[in-house]
Amino acid sequence: PFQQIADSTASEALLKKGSTFSQDTIAMELDRLVELFRNKGYMRFTRNELVGVWDTLDVALLQPVLNPLEQIQLINQLTKQTENPTASLEIKLRNGYDSGRLVKFYVGKVYIYPDFGPDTTNYTNVILDSTYTVRYHEKLFKPKILPQNIYLRRGQVYNQNRYTRTVDRFNANVAWRLVNIDLKPRPGTDTVDFYVKLIPSKKYL
């Protein structure tokens, strides 16, 4: 699936045939692929799972040649490569990668704590629907308004951009001074639950 995902965005690749060889560009392409895979559900995928391997030697030059004309052609080809060197690059999974990081995850339940604090007990639970449950100590905010700030819905493929948009949405709201979202995969499954922990601004306390 990773090859298919990469091929589907080949036009967006930062590495193009004939472009100048640069380790910085390779690093940026690795980052692009990681973000791409994480937006397709592979929540645990990191740069550590990928490696770029390049080779500056044409394998054809190592093949035995008996025909003198072919030998001359290969010598000319080698001369051109010396004047304008090229490298073949392969981006692949690193040997010994952790298979647990190749699991595709789906959104499970979202638990929202609008007045999160040191006391982690005595919550009142309000189940809004199959996705969202609000857990609060004091009813500082109407539970129904909270999901409109969240871009995660039960059954969706995990998407890093939706996760980031949710964090940014709450950070932009003056009602809360601190936002943290914990991701907790359910053991032995491909489902991840989210715990949205919001610390209110002082004026709401």
Side-chain angles (χ1 to χ4, degrees), residues 76-196:
N76 290 336
Q77 183 180 345
L78 182 60
T79 300
K80 289 180 180 179
Q81 287 197 2
T82 302
E83 295 172 352
N84 299 289
T86 60
S88 297
L89 174 67
E90 180 183 13
I91 295 177
K92 61 182 182 179
L93 290 172
R94 188 185 300 274
N95 292 335
Y97 62 84
D98 181 357
S99 60
R101 295 189 176 274
L102 308 187
V103 175
K104 186 175 184 176
F105 280 93
Y106 296 82
V107 176
K109 293 196 172 190
V110 179
Y111 299 93
I112 311 168
Y113 300 77
D115 58 349
F116 186 77
D119 182 6
T120 58
T121 61
N122 300 318
Y123 283 114
T124 297
N125 289 329
V126 178
I127 300 175
L128 299 178
D129 56 28
S130 61
T131 300
Y132 304 112
T133 296
V134 178
R135 293 176 172 173
Y136 64 86
H137 291 295
E138 300 179 40
K139 204 168 184 179
L140 302 176
F141 309 95
K142 293 181 180 179
K144 290 184 178 180
I145 70 170
L146 297 168
Q148 67 188 27
N149 298 288
I150 300 174
Y151 299 92
L152 305 164
R153 187 77 189 174
R154 187 175 183 179
Q156 287 179 336
V157 173
Y158 174 82
N159 182 291
Q160 182 71 24
N161 285 344
R162 290 197 192 106
Y163 171 85
T164 302
R165 284 178 67 193
T166 300
V167 174
D168 291 344
R169 182 68 179 264
F170 280 113
N171 276 327
N173 195 316
V174 296
W176 293 281
R177 63 182 176 86
L178 190 62
V179 178
N180 186 54
I181 302 180
D182 292 339
L183 295 77
K184 295 186 178 180
R186 299 178 190 175
T189 74
D190 60 359
T191 300
V192 56
D193 296 323
F194 297 81
Y195 294 77
V196 182

